[in-house]
Amino acid sequence: MNEEQSAKFSQKLQNIAKAPKYRGAIFQIEADEKGLALVDVKEASLKVYLMIDPECDKILETRFFTYGGPLFTALADSFCRKIQMATVDDACKITAESLEEELRDTPDVRAIPEDAVEIKQMNHLIAKVLEVYPEKKATAIIVREKMERIKYRTQTAEGRAEADAEWNALTKAQKIEKIEAWLHQTVRGTLQGDGGDIQILDLTDDNRLQIRYQGACAGCGSAMGGTLFYIEDELKNNVYYNIIVEPEDPLANLPQNPDLPGLDDNNPPASMY
């Protein structure tokens, strides 16, 4: 901020812009894990994130990001501070004009020039919060109910007993069909988008799923790490909590070269003499 710009803004505004407390981001996965709604709205170069309890509409956490300079930084940081633990309705009654008044050094001297476009843009952003929240709230309630069902079926004795009874009532073919349907719904599209795929080879011991990676997945390092964890976690949460996924050894089906000497103790290769 140069001297000419500084002269237009209050000292309080400049101090907040230099050291904002609420700069950052909130990601959807964080909200889903906590059963909360995430409202993320953008106006011009400012984006604000609100994590909200859908049961009481109370804002529990706020963050913002902007590359638009000191005005948006100070307005957004002040807004995020004021709406902590407020309801969505109360938060959206706040105006950029009221935020500007709080940023003044003295009551009769504006903190921001009256013609600053950021004032109007900030009001548009606050209006968007109220506009998009109902849909975000409905989605969060659905996700919360799903997470509660998953927790019941995978982590409680009663839920596991129910899952065992349902699983044991299925034939092997029905179990594989159920697994295949879920893989197709949640996993296969992602793998195919990266040039890979997955094939079910067998289901043994009633819960050990043997799979084969195909295409790009067959040679991908994450196939035995992050990808495998994701596949198994999806199946445990949504099909049967006790499923174990076992990828085929990628070297198991490589053709043997009969011209190469064996590596047993009685016939070591020439390089070992």
Side-chain angles (χ1 to χ4, degrees):
M1 190 186 308
N2 57 41
E3 292 184 5
E4 183 178 350
Q5 287 178 315
S6 299
K8 297 179 181 179
F9 309 141
S10 69
Q11 188 60 52
K12 184 182 293 186
L13 182 150
Q14 295 178 55
N15 292 340
I16 293 174
K18 289 176 182 177
K21 295 182 179 180
Y22 294 93
R23 187 192 298 274
I26 303 173
F27 299 100
Q28 189 64 54
I29 190 171
E30 300 176 57
D32 290 345
E33 288 175 349
K34 297 176 181 179
L36 302 175
L38 177 62
V39 170
D40 50 344
V41 291
K42 186 177 184 296
E43 180 70 24
S45 65
L46 173 61
K47 189 169 186 178
V48 170
Y49 305 82
L50 312 179
M51 194 122 77
I52 305 166
D53 186 339
E55 288 189 359
C56 60
D57 301 331
K58 186 172 289 186
I59 300 168
L60 304 182
E61 187 176 350
T62 59
R63 291 290 183 273
F64 78 92
F65 176 78
T66 184
Y67 50 85
L71 294 190
F72 265 157
T73 299
L75 286 170
D77 201 69
S78 299
F79 180 64
C80 287
R81 174 184 55 80
K82 283 182 66 68
I83 64 176
Q84 292 285 319
M85 304 307 292
T87 65
V88 173
D89 284 342
D90 286 342
C92 292
K93 292 175 183 176
I94 296 171
T95 65
E97 288 78 10
S98 66
L99 294 173
E100 185 275 329
E101 289 180 1
E102 292 189 10
L103 291 170
R104 297 180 182 185
D105 293 329
T106 56
D108 57 339
V109 179
R110 291 186 61 87
I112 301 171
E114 190 172 2
D115 59 352
V117 68
E118 287 85 352
I119 294 291
K120 183 177 181 180
Q121 292 171 334
M122 188 71 196
N123 283 329
H124 286 169
L125 182 141
I126 294 171
K128 285 181 181 179
V129 172
L130 198 59
E131 179 182 335
V132 305
Y133 176 58
E135 181 179 350
K136 297 283 189 174
K137 175 179 179 176
T139 300
I141 291 173
I142 292 171
V143 172
R144 174 181 283 191
E145 291 173 350
K146 178 183 176 182
M147 297 295 289
E148 289 175 351
R149 287 196 302 271
I150 288 174
K151 184 176 180 180
Y152 172 74
R153 298 277 286 187
T154 61
Q155 299 182 24
T156 69
E158 297 86 351
R160 288 190 172 198
E162 291 178 11
D164 287 337
E166 292 177 9
W167 186 251
N168 293 332
L170 300 176
T171 66
K172 179 177 178 178
Q174 289 172 327
K175 291 172 183 175
I176 292 177
E177 182 180 356
K178 191 171 184 179
I179 293 168
E180 179 65 46
W182 191 260
L183 290 176
H184 184 74
Q185 179 180 339
T186 62
V187 174
R188 180 160 282 118
T190 301
L191 299 183
Q192 290 176 344
D194 292 329
D197 209 336
I198 186 174
Q199 176 188 358
I200 293 178
L201 298 178
D202 200 1
L203 181 68
T204 62
D205 298 332
D206 205 44
N207 70 326
R208 308 185 81 87
L209 181 68
Q210 298 173 1
I211 63 169
R212 173 181 294 160
Y213 287 117
Q214 298 176 316
C217 293
C220 177
S222 68
M224 298 297 177
T227 300
L228 176 61
F229 175 81
Y230 171 70
I231 292 171
E232 187 171 89
D233 194 54
E234 282 290 314
L235 293 175
K236 283 180 179 292
N237 288 337
N238 299 285
V239 178
Y240 180 49
Y241 74 90
N242 203 28
I243 283 181
I244 299 170
V245 181
E246 299 177 334
E248 178 187 48
D249 183 349
L251 302 179
N253 295 321
L254 288 180
Q256 300 297 315
N257 189 339
D259 297 328
L260 293 178
L263 297 180
D264 57 79
D265 293 337
N266 297 321
N267 186 27
S271 61
M272 294 182 64
Y273 285 107

